[in-house]
Amino acid sequence: MTEGTMPAPHETPTLAPALSPARVTAVLRILVLSTFVVLLNETIMVNAIPRLMREFEVTAAAAGWLSTAFMLTMAVVIPVTGWFLQRVTTRTAFGLAMALFLAGTALAAAAPAFPVLLAARVIQASGTAVMMPLLMTTLMTLVPPHDRGRVMGNITLVISVAPALGPAVSGVLLQLGSWRLLFLAVIPIAGAMAIFGRRNLVNIGEPQAAPIDWMSVPLAAVGFGALVYGLSGLGAENAAQAPVPPEAITLAGVVLVGLFVWRQLALQRSSTPLLDLRALTFRHFSVALGLMCLSFMALMGAFILLPIYLQEVCGLTSLQTGLLLIPGGLTMGLLGPQVGKLYDRLGAPRLVVPGAALTALCLALFAFTGEQTSPWLVLALHVALSAGMAFVFTPVFTSGLSVLPPHLYPHGSAILGSLQQVAAAAGTALVISVMSGRAATAAAEGADTTGALATGIRWGFGIGAGIGALAVLVALLIRTPPAPPQPATSEPQAEDGTTTSKTAPTPT
């Protein structure tokens, strides 16, 4: 399929009821608030790791699996959501996502042993993996092209603020009592959102009885899982002692993902693929995807290095670190709606290029920080970095998905979500590997522990700045795409030209 062609017969968009603007706002509000709850929980465990190590008597590497398993599960589940969201109703997808998240949260709160807590995090991540593509697909379906920038900006506010608040919220709750409060506090909020959502959410479109290729499912699960796991292990301190080298796991993941891609391309010619890669034939989407991956690599690298720098080099507590990083997250979130409005007026290039340049500059300045750097300067740089990212992410998501025809919205959202996880793992592995290697070299040359770590962190930020520079080059290719072709009449026609319905088609 070439850019701009219409869907094949078996991909005909489903029908949806016409919704009033007030009803559209209500639907999006339910999904946004629910997404906020599940994303907040993604980072709420950060400050609890030391306490969990003591209570369950596990190593730091084992405790780190609470985050790694969450990311792995997201990478495994998201590729399937493109097919899943077309097969079930909106209310069913929402109900399943929230049920999984609530079940995982309740199990985590009552976990008697570390393996149970780890399993609970996997269940939580399964629900989160469904919620994000559901939100993006529903937005692209309901909101007209001329208003998507503003709405996407409001969604960026929630998506940005939730992960930023996680460490601070966990710091406060851990001061009040047990680590179980991290989950007990979330249960009533998530439960209320689930009940309210099921009562008020309406179905967007009709489910399609699309077949599933069962060979593609394990290829996607094992391939993306191995790729993310292998990349995550490349930067680990004990990578050399691992039973299977992370490099081998990463290579296996690359091969399996390659087989998955080959399988989808073959299915596109004769059947229904699990993940429709024809979205990648749209140049605007592919360029936006590349910029998103580079920006996410740089951002995740910085987010990993900053807490290490603030606590191990500057001597701040975990609570102080979380509080210091909140203004940056709030900046990104609060700028989201304004950037969205500017996108509707100015288009993508005028926002993305300055945003990417500001991001690269801030990462370069972080590379000059040291033991004597004031935390206030770090705060200012983090706020500026977050502002730069706000000018990148909202236009990139909006322009990238807007160019796709309606039947590819779920698949485009799934591709974005899957590669986000891969980019996060790759960025983290790269900066941690560089940081560890340069710190070891500095220590061998006579630097003390803190000085050696500071040297390694500066090199890590330097790598992030290099990635940011590449993002600037890709940003120069970003264009504001024309709106995809929309039905000109409320009476869509079948292949033979006869009228099939009085209702305007709206995709799932």
Side-chain angles (χ1 to χ4, degrees), residues 393-422:
F393 283 139
T394 297
V396 164
F397 280 121
T398 308
S399 64
L401 289 173
S402 291
V403 74
L404 299 179
H407 73 281
L408 288 180
Y409 288 158
H411 296 279
S413 299
I415 292 171
L416 279 171
S418 300
L419 292 188
Q420 267 190 349
Q421 301 305 311
V422 174

Side-chain angles (χ1 to χ4, degrees), residues 441-468:
T441 300
E445 294 174 351
D448 60 24
T449 302
T450 303
L453 182 59
T455 299
I457 290 174
R458 284 195 295 271
W459 275 87
F461 278 122
I463 292 297
I467 298 173

Side-chain angles (χ1 to χ4, degrees), residues 84-241:
F84 177 73
L85 292 180
Q86 288 185 314
R87 190 173 179 83
V88 302
T89 64
T90 307
R91 297 180 76 246
T92 299
F94 174 83
L96 176 63
M98 294 305 294
L100 286 171
F101 180 78
L102 276 168
T105 304
L107 182 62
F114 184 79
V116 178
L117 179 59
L118 187 61
R121 291 288 286 172
V122 170
I123 297 172
Q124 281 185 317
S126 300
T128 305
V130 175
M131 187 61 70
M132 280 299 299
L134 175 63
L135 171 61
M136 290 296 183
T137 300
T138 304
L139 180 151
M140 297 303 298
T141 301
L142 294 182
V143 180
H146 67 271
D147 208 26
R148 284 174 183 162
R150 179 186 63 82
V151 178
M152 186 70 80
N154 289 318
I155 288 176
T156 302
L157 186 153
V158 173
I159 295 175
S160 303
V161 171
L165 287 179
V169 170
S170 66
V172 172
L173 291 175
L174 290 171
Q175 293 280 56
L176 297 176
S178 167
W179 59 268
R180 298 181 190 275
L181 284 176
L182 301 179
F183 302 104
L184 292 173
V186 171
I187 290 175
I189 301 173
M193 286 309 308
I195 295 172
F196 180 78
R198 284 288 293 173
R199 287 179 177 176
N200 294 277
L201 201 62
V202 297
N203 289 325
I204 309 303
E206 296 294 335
Q208 303 175 19
I212 186 171
D213 178 57
W214 291 107
M215 184 181 295
S216 296
V217 175
L219 280 176
V222 181
F224 282 100
L227 185 57
V228 171
Y229 176 69
L231 289 170
S232 301
L234 290 177
E237 295 181 3
N238 60 345
Q241 288 76 42

Side-chain angles (χ1 to χ4, degrees), residues 1-6 278 281-283 405 408:
M1 175 183 281
T2 58
E3 181 164 331
T5 56
M6 296 303 290
R278 278 171 285 201
T281 65
F282 291 78
R283 179 182 176 277
L408 288 180

Side-chain angles (χ1 to χ4, degrees), residues 48-71:
I49 296 299
R51 189 175 297 188
L52 292 169
M53 290 169 58
R54 293 192 298 270
E55 178 157 341
F56 290 116
E57 298 181 349
V58 296
T59 64
W65 267 95
L66 293 173
S67 297
T68 303
F70 199 103
M71 186 166 56

Side-chain angles (χ1 to χ4, degrees), residues 172-322:
V172 172
L173 291 175
L174 290 171
Q175 293 280 56
L176 297 176
S178 167
W179 59 268
R180 298 181 190 275
L181 284 176
L182 301 179
F183 302 104
L184 292 173
V186 171
I187 290 175
I189 301 173
M193 286 309 308
I195 295 172
F196 180 78
R198 284 288 293 173
R199 287 179 177 176
N200 294 277
L201 201 62
V202 297
N203 289 325
I204 309 303
E206 296 294 335
Q208 303 175 19
I212 186 171
D213 178 57
W214 291 107
M215 184 181 295
S216 296
V217 175
L219 280 176
V222 181
F224 282 100
L227 185 57
V228 171
Y229 176 69
L231 289 170
S232 301
L234 290 177
E237 295 181 3
N238 60 345
Q241 288 76 42
V244 180
E247 295 83 358
I249 298 176
T250 303
L251 179 60
V254 170
V255 172
L256 289 172
V257 169
L259 290 174
F260 172 76
V261 170
W262 172 82
R263 179 71 179 171
Q264 304 318 295
L265 294 176
L267 289 173
Q268 284 172 187
R269 294 190 293 267
S270 60
S271 182
T272 303
L274 180 68
L275 188 61
D276 199 328
L277 301 180
R278 278 171 285 201
L280 298 176
T281 65
F282 291 78
R283 179 182 176 277
H284 293 300
F285 178 77
S286 298
V287 173
L289 185 65
L291 179 56
M292 183 275 296
C293 287
L294 288 172
S295 300
F296 214 69
M297 285 178 67
L299 181 64
M300 289 305 298
F303 278 4
I304 289 295
L305 292 175
L306 274 172
I308 299 174
Y309 170 72
L310 291 171
Q311 294 181 46
E312 302 299 329
V313 177
C314 297
L316 273 61
T317 65
S318 58
L319 179 58
Q320 290 172 329
T321 298

